[in-house]
Amino acid sequence: MKLNKYRKKSPWILHYNAGGCNGCDIEILACLGPKYDIERFGMINSGNPKQADIMLVTGPVTKRSRERLVDIYSQMPEPKVVVACGSCTCTGGVFRGMYNCEGGVDQYIPVDVYVPGCGCRPEQIIAGVVEALAKLEQKTKDIEKSIRLDRSPQINNGQMDRREIAVEIAPGKVFG
Amino acid sequence: MDKRKMIVHSTHAFLGIVHFISLWFALAILITGGDFILVIFLHLLSTAVIILAGFSTHSIFSHLGANRTAISILAYEPVLVIIAISAFMLTGSFDISALYASEVPPLYKMPLAFIALLLILPVKLKKSPFDVGEAHQEVVGGVELEYSGIFYEAIYTAKWLDYVFCYLLVFLFGGSNIWLGLILVVLTFIYINALDNSTARVSYKQMLRFCLWVALPLAFANLLLTMFNIL
Ligand code: SF4
């Protein structure tokens, strides 16, 4: 059975606030509300990391929330993408240099799409999620690639040598 | 490549699949007109299995969902059994095919049972006034919280099978008159959605009190009416 086709059409979203001012959260809720209504595309805001495909993070990562951020990220099954919503999520924004946060989600988890703006407009969020969907598809294919090798490993002196193949499947290429 | 599945432990995943399969069996027997009690039993079995799965993990939210689902069983199951007994009093057998074949639609013979069914349907379908089981994410996700990947797909499909099951129960009240049955299904569908969108959630105690003090006596009154052949 292939879940793949259906997942592309209805990605489930996990929303986590890592200590932002709630401005971007309200914009995300506006996306889910009747005016922008991204639920018509099948995007459901699920509160459960185990069933989500896209993680929407808002807020600079405060020292209190970073453990939970990494925890939630690691609970999501592969393939997954992370969308950083808002300036403070991308770079620290207005909170940059403050004593309680370290500016930017990408210091802790790999981010795939950066959505700028303080707070980011719902149109931008939707565009970011659509971009994330393309990335999700690419990642899905990459996972397959890492399993099906094009070349078989060479044998040197009776020893299997996978080094050349390992160069081709660089970690950046496979998971991010 | 599919979404990776994170299995908590094998029993948990297996119980999810059993939930799915037993619901299929319940639906198949309901469609082919088998034994009403067996249908109710299989449906109860599927829910009991998913509750067991909820309790088999260490997640507290899974436990919470399992507890609340168990409470909702307590609310709707007695009513369902009494409706089945009323159908027995009406047709003289527990076979659903007798209901499908009855010339006078069972709706006219047991209207109170239909009202009782309408009152417990939101509990079964997890719709708004009585959606204690998962509370629209507010208790995170109910019993199916720990499922992911293909096992969650089974659970999710089972949820839609449950819808088919409930609307088939409504369809039964049309008897041999298919059009009446279809109209009942459409009206019930509109009623359930209107109710879901216009009411606020009640606490599980209020739900239990409502179901056991309003829906259950209604079903029981209907049983007496059918027993003494008043309607
Ligand atoms: S980007 Fe601006 S509006 Fe959004 S959470 Fe950060 S500070 Fe608030």
Side-chain angles (χ1 to χ4, degrees):
Chain A
M1 246 186 285
K2 282 280 167 196
L3 291 179
N4 211 7
K5 197 170 129 201
Y6 308 104
R7 199 180 65 241
K8 203 183 109 197
K9 288 196 177 141
S10 63
W12 282 23
I13 286 169
L14 176 70
H15 169 208
Y16 180 62
N17 181 348
C21 76
N22 266 350
C24 290
D25 302 274
I26 289 169
E27 301 295 337
I28 288 174
L29 291 185
C31 286
L32 295 165
K35 185 162 182 194
Y36 295 96
D37 197 15
I38 56 171
E39 261 188 33
R40 72 201 141 124
F41 302 129
M43 300 182 193
I44 298 178
N45 186 9
S46 83
N48 190 346
K50 284 199 164 182
Q51 294 150 9
D53 303 301
I54 298 178
M55 187 179 184
L56 292 181
V57 193
T58 61
V61 187
T62 56
K63 286 181 180 162
R64 288 278 175 145
S65 71
R66 63 186 173 193
E67 235 173 77
R68 261 151 256 159
L69 175 76
V70 175
D71 204 7
I72 288 176
Y73 177 78
S74 56
Q75 278 178 26
M76 284 171 69
E78 293 282 348
K80 55 191 168 188
V81 285
V82 178
V83 180
C85 293
S87 302
C88 69
T89 322
C90 302
T91 61
V94 288
F95 299 111
R96 196 175 178 86
M98 271 171 75
Y99 62 90
N100 63 338
C101 53
E102 285 164 40
V105 167
D106 50 4
Q107 301 185 23
Y108 305 103
I109 55 175
V111 176
D112 297 279
V113 181
Y114 295 89
V115 178
C118 181
C120 45
R121 305 282 310 147
E123 292 93 341
Q124 280 176 313
I125 296 176
I126 293 171
V129 170
V130 169
E131 190 74 18
L133 278 184
K135 292 232 173 188
L136 188 68
E137 212 189 337
Q138 186 57 40
K139 281 193 179 187
T140 311
K141 280 184 191 145
D142 282 348
I143 288 183
E144 229 168 28
K145 206 189 286 172
S146 68
I147 291 167
R148 254 195 264 119
L149 293 176
D150 300 332
R151 278 194 291 150
S152 54
Q154 293 171 336
I155 294 182
N156 285 340
N157 300 333
Q159 188 88 38
M160 213 172 251
D161 188 359
R162 290 197 186 81
R163 283 193 190 84
E164 281 183 38
I165 302 174
V167 167
E168 281 177 19
I169 336 166
K173 223 166 128 193
V174 176
F175 289 117
Chain B
M1 190 73 195
D2 288 338
K3 185 88 169 165
R4 295 281 166 86
K5 36 198 167 293
M6 286 183 167
I7 299 177
V8 180
H9 52 75
S10 54
T11 318
H12 184 250
F14 174 71
L15 288 177
I17 298 293
V18 171
H19 166 69
F20 179 58
I21 292 173
S22 55
L23 206 53
W24 262 119
F25 272 104
L27 201 60
I29 294 173
L30 184 59
I31 290 173
T32 53
D35 197 300
F36 209 152
I37 293 292
L38 185 59
V39 168
I40 290 176
F41 168 73
L42 278 175
H43 188 265
L44 180 65
L45 180 75
S46 76
T47 322
V49 157
I50 195 78
I51 289 171
L52 269 186
F55 276 128
S56 73
T57 64
H58 284 295
S59 157
I60 47 167
F61 290 110
S62 187
H63 282 200
L64 192 65
N67 269 327
R68 292 168 77 99
T69 313
I71 288 168
S72 67
I73 286 191
L74 201 58
Y76 71 73
E77 206 61 33
V79 179
L80 217 55
V81 171
I82 287 188
I83 290 175
I85 298 175
S86 304
F88 172 73
M89 292 296 173
L90 186 67
T91 60
S93 87
F94 272 122
D95 278 354
I96 295 172
S97 50
L99 273 180
Y100 280 133
S102 72
E103 287 298 324
V104 187
L107 177 66
Y108 301 151
K109 285 288 182 186
M110 31 194 228
L112 292 181
F114 186 68
I115 295 173
L117 184 65
L118 285 187
L119 293 179
I120 58 155
L121 270 190
V123 187
K124 276 170 71 69
L125 295 176
K126 299 195 180 106
K127 290 293 186 185
S128 197
F130 301 139
D131 58 341
V132 294
E134 47 183 33
H136 285 137
Q137 296 181 11
E138 266 151 54
V139 287
V140 181
V143 270
E144 70 262 34
L145 177 72
E146 292 293 325
Y147 285 99
S148 62
I150 199 126
F151 296 102
Y152 185 61
E153 194 192 13
I155 303 287
Y156 201 72
T157 319
K159 210 187 265 179
W160 289 99
L161 282 183
D162 224 5
Y163 278 62
V164 179
F165 181 86
C166 290
Y167 287 118
L168 265 176
L169 281 186
V170 173
F171 181 76
L172 278 185
F173 279 84
S176 63
N177 191 344
I178 290 177
W179 289 110
L180 180 64
L182 286 180
I183 288 171
L184 282 181
V185 167
V186 170
L187 286 183
T188 312
F189 182 77
I190 293 170
Y191 151 79
I192 291 281
N193 281 305
L195 195 70
D196 185 28
N197 287 311
S198 63
T199 51
R201 186 173 310 118
V202 299
S203 79
Y204 77 88
K205 278 183 190 156
Q206 286 165 320
M207 179 198 79
L208 206 55
R209 221 176 286 140
F210 179 82
C211 288
L212 294 185
W213 286 106
V214 180
L216 191 60
L218 263 182
F220 205 73
N222 178 79
L223 178 63
L224 292 180
L225 286 186
T226 342
M227 212 156 108
F228 298 113
N229 218 348
I230 291 172
L231 285 174

